[in-house]
Amino acid sequence: MKEQNQIPTSKVARASQFVKAGIKVGGNYLKHYSKKLVQPDLPKDELHKDNAADIYSTLSELKGSALKMAQMLSMDRNILPRAYVDKFTMSQYSAPPLSGPLVVKTFRTFFGKSPQQLFDTFEMGAVNAASIGQVHLATKDGKKLAVKVQYPGVADSVSSDLRIAKPLAISLLGLNERDIDRYMGEVESKLLEETDYELELRRSVEISNACSHIEGLVFPAYYPELSSKRILTMDWLDGLHLKDFLRTNPSQEIRDRVGQLLWDFYDHQIHQLRQVHADPHPGNFLMRPDGTMGVIDFGCVKVIPDFFYDNYFRLINFDTLDEEEATVQIFRNLEFIVPEDSPREQVFFSDLFKQMIYLLGKPFSVQEFDFGDDSYFDSVYAFADELSRVEELKNSKVARGSQHGLYINRTYFGLYSLLNELKARVVTNRPSWLQSKALMASNK
């Protein structure tokens, strides 16, 4: 893969890249509709493919929050056409890497030394490159190490990139400005945290230690003396990313074992630690033939406030939905329904969100769930598609749902997607208070 020798860092330079992407997309639409005059039934497949390639090309050159948005969107498969998902998935671990001189410059800035002076060996070619940084293989004192180097200018461009990308998100995704503004602060704060490798190091050590009792999970050791605000050094973990792992044709038993590890890892973080590795994309997990799994990259961690946790997870126990008064109060607490709603709107939105909860909470309604059931995921995507066309939602004067739900929903959607690709059958462990009375009775 071709290396990048520079990254646009000034606001003007980065804004001009977004403008160029917009012009290319406009040209693709013009080309599409010109062809459509001759061929009225022409599908949009080619248009989506061209747009995805042009937008990804721009975002991959900019790195940072711009590329991170592509990564996030690739997980939300119900939002984007398949062409975008396929292209944007590359941002999870195979973006164009930085050239050697830029890597050396970063080391000299933060250590006053080149990587060759810090390590016994250091491979200048990146092993993989994602949205915020790229990983190099190194050795020191007989240990094999992974060294993550952040792209220059990423931390300083988060806020301006989000503002510049907003019009593109509105036109490309059909999102309204009100919804984007509501969650912008949450996204911005998480992206800024992801650029702070000192914070990531502390969280990595804390969460790794807290989850070390889960047999089969493997975490790297971290090295503060070889890390800084923009460089992070840890043990090298062997294993395969999901698609490469699946190419080895693992048995159903191994798929189930890896899937159970994923479920138990997230269950413990959410319900015991009240903070969660909120970036469950395939690039952050290394799967092995024996069913064990390495976990890396704790850059994106969502701390779950108690008030949000208590309300959000009460809805996972379907017994709650049988109590109309309690459900309505929770919907108010979570801002699914708001004081401005008329009685008719309150009923409408309550019914709508109940449907959503019954569908997305289905894995919690049974003791064991088959995530290989594609019909379930087809129903989820179909519901999301229907939701995008609900006039009452599109015309609502307020954005609905607590901003804290953004990364929790994203976490569960990412987890479900991983388990679906694994075709894993999973025992859906969770605290006893989240199990409905009907489910507990069936287990006796």
Side-chain angles (χ1 to χ4, degrees), residues 219-260:
F219 301 96
Y222 293 84
Y223 300 90
E225 70 279 10
L226 296 170
S227 301
S228 71
K229 202 169 182 65
R230 302 289 181 255
I231 296 170
L232 183 61
T233 301
M234 68 197 83
D235 284 338
W236 180 271
L237 292 187
D238 291 319
L240 298 172
H241 294 305
L242 179 60
K243 288 193 181 301
D244 292 328
F245 175 71
L246 293 176
R247 288 191 188 103
T248 67
N249 195 28
S251 67
Q252 186 64 50
E253 180 187 0
I254 295 299
R255 289 168 183 259
D256 292 347
R257 193 178 302 169
V258 173
Q260 193 66 54

Side-chain angles (χ1 to χ4, degrees), residues 359-371:
L359 180 59
L360 298 180
K362 190 174 181 180
F364 291 89
S365 68
V366 292
Q367 193 64 37
E368 182 176 294
F369 192 78
D370 182 5
F371 283 92

Side-chain angles (χ1 to χ4, degrees), residues 48-67:
H48 291 322
K49 189 175 180 180
D50 289 344
N51 281 348
D54 288 335
I55 292 169
Y56 179 76
S57 175
T58 297
L59 299 185
S60 63
E61 287 184 19
L62 291 172
K63 310 291 190 190
S65 52
L67 193 55

Side-chain angles (χ1 to χ4, degrees), residues 33-45:
Y33 286 113
S34 296
K35 290 182 179 179
K36 201 170 176 67
L37 292 173
V38 181
Q39 188 182 345
D41 59 348
L42 181 70
K44 287 188 174 181
D45 294 355

Side-chain angles (χ1 to χ4, degrees), residues 101-213:
L102 281 179
V103 173
V104 172
K105 182 180 178 181
T106 302
F107 271 90
R108 290 198 181 280
T109 299
F110 290 96
F111 289 103
K113 297 179 179 179
S114 70
Q116 289 80 6
Q117 291 173 301
L118 282 172
F119 301 97
D120 295 336
T121 65
F122 184 90
E123 293 188 7
M124 291 305 300
V127 178
N128 59 55
S131 54
I132 303 295
Q134 63 189 40
V135 177
H136 295 259
L137 174 61
T139 62
K140 190 174 179 68
D141 299 331
K143 292 181 179 177
K144 196 175 177 183
L145 304 172
V147 185
K148 187 161 69 168
V149 182
Q150 189 173 128
Y151 303 129
V154 163
D156 298 328
S157 64
V158 168
S159 300
S160 59
D161 273 3
L162 290 176
R163 287 193 295 271
I164 297 168
K166 188 168 134 181
L168 190 62
I170 292 171
S171 61
L172 176 64
L173 304 179
L175 301 177
N176 63 58
E177 191 167 354
R178 181 182 59 250
D179 288 337
I180 291 176
D181 286 341
R182 178 175 180 77
Y183 300 112
M184 190 67 79
E186 180 79 352
V187 172
E188 184 176 345
S189 68
K190 284 286 155 284
L191 288 173
L192 287 170
E193 286 181 5
E194 284 196 68
T195 65
D196 184 350
Y197 283 180
E198 290 173 338
L199 174 63
E200 180 177 346
L201 188 148
R202 292 194 299 272
R203 283 175 164 172
S204 299
V205 172
E206 179 183 344
I207 297 177
S208 297
N209 289 339
C211 296
S212 61
H213 66 284

Side-chain angles (χ1 to χ4, degrees), residues 65-81:
S65 52
L67 193 55
K68 189 70 180 182
M69 284 185 286
Q71 184 190 94
M72 292 171 70
L73 291 169
S74 71
M75 294 165 61
D76 296 334
R77 288 182 283 185
N78 58 309
I79 291 180
L80 293 176

Side-chain angles (χ1 to χ4, degrees), residues 386-432:
E386 289 175 23
L387 216 56
S388 69
R389 295 197 294 267
V390 173
E391 290 298 323
E392 288 85 350
L393 271 179
K394 291 199 292 186
N395 298 328
S396 177
K397 295 178 182 178
V398 295
R400 295 178 185 273
S402 166
Q403 68 268 28
H404 295 297
L406 181 66
Y407 277 90
I408 300 303
N409 293 337
R410 178 193 177 211
T411 296
Y412 272 109
F413 189 83
L415 175 61
Y416 281 19
S417 296
L418 287 170
L419 294 172
N420 176 235
E421 288 197 60
L422 278 167
K423 306 299 180 191
R425 298 170 302 202
V426 168
V427 177
T428 53
N429 296 317
R430 69 269 198 197
S432 59

